[in-house]
Amino acid sequence: ISPKPFFIICGTLLSLAKIHPMWQRIQTLFLIIAAIAGAAYFFVPIAEVRGENLLGKNDLITSAVAVAVVLLSLFALTQYKNRKLQMMICLVNMVCAFSLAGTAAFTAVQTGGTPRYEFAVGVPVLAFIALFFAWKNIKKDDDLVKSMDRFR
């Protein structure tokens, strides 16, 4: 299965919305991974309470933080022309992803059920790692542009 139809559909939707992220940059991939991890948080079990799975979407605070992770990742994706702002958004988003892992662990303990830390904490940690690599690559691009300006 070729990923080409996926990129054609995404490119068409983004061009209709007048949003043009630079698909050839690796940080775009990392920001998309962070957004998907934030969205996936709604569907992963945090704890098992009386035989039922408590999902991430059942808690208001963790849901709000997960939405912030998704929206900040997508907003950072569109800010490719302003690398300083993009790096700042990534840093704020890393704090949100880290706090999502903490609130997930706290919610799992407070429910009184059996915590499932592998999912509840693993998904936000994946988002945090993806955001860190995105920030690192944005910084590398910024340093490269600065070094090119120095030679003029």
Side-chain angles (χ1 to χ4, degrees), residues 5-152:
F6 171 75
F7 289 117
I8 292 172
I9 292 169
C10 288
T12 304
L13 292 175
L14 290 173
S15 66
L16 291 175
K18 302 294 184 209
I19 299 171
H20 302 286
M22 293 185 61
W23 291 104
Q24 68 267 23
R25 295 168 69 199
I26 189 69
Q27 55 264 35
T28 302
L29 177 66
F30 289 129
L31 289 169
I32 289 172
I33 289 171
I36 290 171
Y41 180 78
F42 289 107
F43 306 106
V44 298
I46 296 175
E48 190 173 321
V49 181
R50 292 184 289 281
E52 290 187 23
N53 286 331
L54 175 67
L55 300 177
K57 63 184 176 183
N58 294 350
D59 186 41
L60 181 64
I61 295 171
T62 55
S63 295
V65 177
V67 167
V69 168
V70 172
L71 292 179
L72 284 172
S73 296
L74 294 176
F75 182 66
L77 186 66
T78 63
Q79 299 302 310
Y80 61 89
K81 291 182 180 179
N82 189 349
R83 287 177 302 279
K84 296 281 187 206
L85 177 63
Q86 200 175 27
M87 285 191 296
M88 182 65 77
I89 292 169
C90 281
L91 288 174
V92 169
N93 207 358
M94 282 193 285
V95 170
C96 287
F98 188 72
S99 65
L100 182 60
T103 55
F106 181 74
T107 303
V109 170
Q110 291 297 344
T111 58
T114 306
R116 299 178 108 185
Y117 294 119
E118 64 273 5
F119 294 117
V121 179
V123 172
V125 168
L126 173 67
F128 181 85
I129 292 169
L131 288 166
F132 174 74
F133 283 127
W135 176 82
K136 187 176 176 182
N137 284 297
I138 295 166
K139 175 112 174 82
K140 190 165 61 170
D141 279 357
D142 194 42
D143 291 343
L144 179 66
V145 169
K146 285 180 184 176
S147 71
M148 291 299 181
D149 287 342
R150 200 174 309 147
F151 289 125
R152 286 185 185 176

